[in-house]
Amino acid sequence: MIVFHMPGTERLGRVAYELGAPTGEVEIHHFPDGESRVRFIGEVRGQEVALVAELHRPDRKILPLLFAVATARELGARSVGLVVPYLPYMRQDRAFRPGEGVTARQFVSLLSHDLDWLVTVDPHLHRIRSLGEVCRLPAETVHAAPLLAEWIREHVEHPLVVGPDGESHQWVASVAALVGAPHMVMTKRRVSDCRVELTLPPLTRHNGRSPVLVDDIVSSGATMAGAVRALTDAGWPAPACLAVHALFAPGARQLLHAAGAAAVVTTNTVAHASNQVDVGGLLAKGISRRVSQRVRAGIAG
Amino acid sequence: MIVFHMPGTERLGRVAYELGAPTGEVEIHHFPDGESRVRFIGEVRGQEVALVAELHRPDRKILPLLFAVATARELGARSVGLVVPYLPYMRQDRAFRPGEGVTARQFVSLLSHDLDWLVTVDPHLHRIRSLGEVCRLPAETVHAAPLLAEWIREHVEHPLVVGPDGESHQWVASVAALVGAPHMVMTKRRVSDCRVELTLPPLTRHNGRSPVLVDDIVSSGATMAGAVRALTDAGWPAPACLAVHALFAPGARQLLHAAGAAAVVTTNTVAHASNQVDVGGLLAKGISRRVSQRVRAGIAG
């Protein structure tokens, strides 16, 4: 196996380190007319290729990535797998109005077209319950919950794990179980694109605990900021905010700080100043499982 | 048949007009996290859909386009064809260095994945001789030569049609034949990315004629500007510069004017201030041929 890094994924160097695999680089040249050209620096022929790619802000990155997959094939790779720490487009999981399609399904189908396997961290699955529903290729989902739980155990005494809304319940429950702490989930009402109202359930029995907010994605920051306010308004200490995927639209981090977040902590699935948790080891484990399954199934022989 | 316009293709309204077909619109919404959502405004179910798309500066446009194709399928289109006046990536027709793939082939393969047919104007084919070599779906190439010839007949007396290099020979010869004028082709030597040296063949027997430069693509403008200079240095009057695809990297137009071009005229396959020739009618003819072939083959029934 050889691990190739697409540009912008150097922070995930632990993937190859944990696998004990050599690394290579995929260079992207951008021409003045807006076209791209990819080039593999490293041995591809006969190799099991793991391609580590960044897909946050996906539209400009997809074509070089698809070219890289096709080029690995042309260069004689034995197999090509994709390691994509943040899988975009999963929130577009239904046609919201007439004339629309289900973009989440279309995106995964496009991505998986020429791949042997895919490894990703906590895709945002809501109406689509598992990647298998939209993905024809073997997809391995790894979970950041143990890493977030570890951070909480190390940094927060007597935590209460809090989710800002019903959709966050799956993350919150599993993190809380791993921490060995209680958890609760707020009720969210969206007032507009940038404003939400959050309601706390009765929490008196948790008095004395330190709330920690957990969600999978921070994007506009409005939900997380609203949750911080709901807690402090109710007399709770300022909570730390933990998230897996640090999308952070412009102004989102300021919004969290203005709301009074005690800390903002994310994994490095998306590069951001708040990254404190490295998912490299997690991805390496997912790759090992996926590739050993291929070997067991006799595909890689 | 219904003609749907992707954003930025409104200038090609003549396509639907000549076909006598109704039109619809594909709306693209861009989310703050860099994702897109497409939406068809118009009837798709049961229709033969012709999707008019702009692909100059392709990398940011490809994903919404592929979503549109997939969405038309989801919405129940009977067939989906793509009308793409400028087909990008055709110049990347070989692996120039080890580690590279043949991007032209990869791009067309990606594009054709879910389509029934494709119509385009004069793809830049050099080492790849026809779209059929790289494209599994029925592709109809229409030629702008008659439109460029018409412009020359209307605007230039006693023309001499001149190509700046050997690659332009195919365009130059067919335009000259349609004009009923002589033609010649210069010899090009590329000194650097932005500088070329052009050599004129002996031209004394064409004295008294007005040179008109013709090429398929103007990108950096260096080749065309070098050709203008080679002509005026040899004592010929300043030539008009005609091209099919107006890619025009920043500074390219200024380069042509500084070289002394008498006029810069392009077709509207790529939107640019120099557009004077409408390819809408041409595209409509290509669509008619393609769709009537499908009907004859019994595919559309």
Side-chain angles (χ1 to χ4, degrees):
Chain A
M1 148 121 9
I2 177 165
V3 177
F4 278 96
H5 282 269
M6 296 288 288
T9 62
E10 298 75 10
R11 72 184 182 283
L12 296 163
R14 214 174 130 187
V15 171
Y17 177 82
E18 301 258 336
L19 291 168
T23 60
E25 203 187 311
V26 180
E27 206 181 61
I28 305 181
H29 177 74
H30 296 283
F31 290 98
D33 60 0
E35 297 184 3
S36 309
R37 186 180 58 206
V38 306
R39 183 175 172 225
F40 278 79
I41 319 280
E43 187 56 39
V44 176
R45 178 161 305 279
Q47 300 287 321
E48 304 247 24
V49 168
L51 197 56
V52 184
E54 170 77 44
L55 276 179
H56 175 229
R57 306 204 157 275
D59 289 18
R60 274 178 301 182
K61 294 174 185 156
I62 192 72
L63 202 44
L65 174 58
L66 295 174
F67 287 152
V69 172
T71 299
R73 298 266 173 224
E74 284 183 29
L75 296 173
R78 194 172 2 153
S79 67
V80 185
L82 181 64
V83 184
V84 56
Y86 171 65
L87 188 62
Y89 276 108
M90 290 305 103
R91 290 185 286 178
Q92 297 194 46
D93 59 354
R94 71 179 181 98
F96 295 88
R97 289 181 302 173
E100 293 180 1
V102 182
T103 320
R105 193 190 300 139
Q106 294 170 1
F107 184 77
V108 172
S109 154
L110 173 67
L111 207 58
S112 49
H113 181 46
D114 212 15
L115 286 174
D116 292 297
W117 51 264
L118 179 147
V119 172
T120 192
V121 181
D122 290 317
H124 183 88
L125 300 174
H126 177 44
R127 289 175 197 91
I128 295 167
R129 296 219 202 125
S130 86
L131 272 187
E133 282 180 35
V134 287
C135 193
R136 282 161 304 180
L137 89 168
E140 184 82 26
T141 292
V142 294
H143 300 287
L147 301 178
L148 298 183
E150 194 182 319
W151 188 93
I152 293 173
R153 273 197 306 268
E154 281 173 14
H155 294 85
V156 186
E157 278 185 54
H158 301 298
L160 166 65
V161 184
V162 181
D165 59 21
E167 281 189 35
S168 67
H169 184 261
Q170 52 183 321
W171 324 102
V172 170
S174 62
V175 169
L178 290 159
V179 173
H183 72 275
M184 49 122 322
V185 164
M186 300 186 186
T187 310
K188 177 163 87 172
R189 197 173 71 86
R190 186 164 283 279
V191 182
S192 73
D193 251 20
C194 299
R195 237 187 94 226
V196 294
E197 271 176 19
L198 294 151
T199 316
L200 285 174
L203 285 176
T204 42
R205 67 195 168 99
H206 297 308
N207 280 350
R209 290 202 170 256
S210 298
V212 180
L213 282 162
V214 171
D215 207 348
D216 67 330
I217 291 177
V218 176
S219 185
S220 74
T223 299
M224 198 65 114
V228 172
R229 280 220 180 77
L231 282 165
T232 51
D233 285 356
W236 289 82
C241 298
L242 270 67
V244 182
H245 305 298
L247 303 198
F248 284 87
R253 208 181 180 204
Q254 293 82 326
L255 208 62
L256 286 186
H257 284 295
V264 179
V265 174
T266 60
T267 82
N268 62 350
T269 59
V270 176
H272 187 257
S274 61
N275 291 168
Q276 285 191 38
V277 175
D278 185 357
V279 296
L282 209 60
L283 288 167
K285 272 183 209 142
I287 297 167
S288 293
R289 273 198 300 272
R290 191 42 56 197
V291 172
S292 65
Q293 276 175 31
R294 279 176 51 80
V295 171
R296 277 203 306 279
I299 301 166
Chain B
M1 148 118 11
I2 177 166
V3 177
F4 278 95
H5 282 268
M6 297 287 287
T9 62
E10 299 75 10
R11 71 184 182 284
L12 296 163
R14 215 176 129 186
V15 171
Y17 178 81
E18 300 256 336
L19 290 167
T23 61
E25 202 187 313
V26 179
E27 206 180 63
I28 305 181
H29 178 73
H30 296 283
F31 290 98
D33 60 0
E35 298 184 3
S36 309
R37 186 181 58 208
V38 305
R39 184 177 172 226
F40 278 79
I41 319 279
E43 187 58 37
V44 175
R45 177 161 306 278
Q47 299 287 322
E48 304 247 25
V49 168
L51 198 55
V52 184
E54 170 77 43
L55 277 179
H56 175 230
R57 307 205 155 273
D59 288 18
R60 274 178 301 183
K61 294 174 186 157
I62 191 73
L63 201 45
L65 174 58
L66 295 173
F67 287 153
V69 172
T71 299
R73 297 266 173 223
E74 283 184 29
L75 296 173
R78 197 180 349 160
S79 67
V80 184
L82 181 64
V83 184
V84 55
Y86 171 64
L87 189 63
Y89 276 107
M90 291 303 104
R91 289 184 286 178
Q92 297 194 46
D93 58 356
R94 71 178 181 99
F96 295 89
R97 289 182 301 173
E100 294 180 359
V102 182
T103 321
R105 194 189 301 138
Q106 295 171 359
F107 184 78
V108 172
S109 153
L110 172 68
L111 205 59
S112 47
H113 182 46
D114 212 15
L115 286 175
D116 292 297
W117 51 263
L118 179 148
V119 172
T120 192
V121 182
D122 290 317
H124 183 88
L125 300 174
H126 176 43
R127 290 176 196 88
I128 295 167
R129 296 217 202 127
S130 86
L131 272 187
E133 282 179 35
V134 286
C135 193
R136 282 161 305 181
L137 87 168
E140 183 84 25
T141 291
V142 294
H143 301 286
L147 301 177
L148 298 183
E150 193 181 320
W151 189 93
I152 294 173
R153 273 197 306 268
E154 281 173 13
H155 294 85
V156 186
E157 277 185 55
H158 301 297
L160 166 64
V161 184
V162 180
D165 59 20
E167 282 190 36
S168 67
H169 184 262
Q170 52 183 321
W171 323 103
V172 170
S174 62
V175 169
L178 290 159
V179 173
H183 72 276
M184 49 121 323
V185 165
M186 299 186 188
T187 310
K188 177 163 88 171
R189 196 172 73 84
R190 186 165 284 278
V191 182
S192 74
D193 252 20
C194 300
R195 238 188 92 225
V196 293
E197 272 176 18
L198 294 152
T199 316
L200 286 175
L203 285 175
T204 42
R205 68 195 167 100
H206 297 308
N207 279 350
R209 289 203 169 256
S210 298
V212 180
L213 282 161
V214 171
D215 207 348
D216 66 330
I217 291 177
V218 176
S219 185
S220 73
T223 299
M224 199 65 114
V228 173
R229 281 220 179 75
L231 282 166
T232 50
D233 286 355
W236 289 82
C241 298
L242 270 67
V244 182
H245 305 298
L247 302 198
F248 285 87
R253 208 179 181 208
Q254 293 81 326
L255 208 62
L256 287 185
H257 283 296
V264 179
V265 174
T266 60
T267 81
N268 62 349
T269 59
V270 176
H272 187 259
S274 61
N275 292 168
Q276 285 190 38
V277 176
D278 185 357
V279 296
L282 210 59
L283 288 167
K285 273 183 208 139
I287 297 167
S288 292
R289 274 198 299 272
R290 191 43 57 197
V291 172
S292 65
Q293 277 174 29
R294 279 176 51 80
V295 172
R296 275 204 306 279
I299 303 166

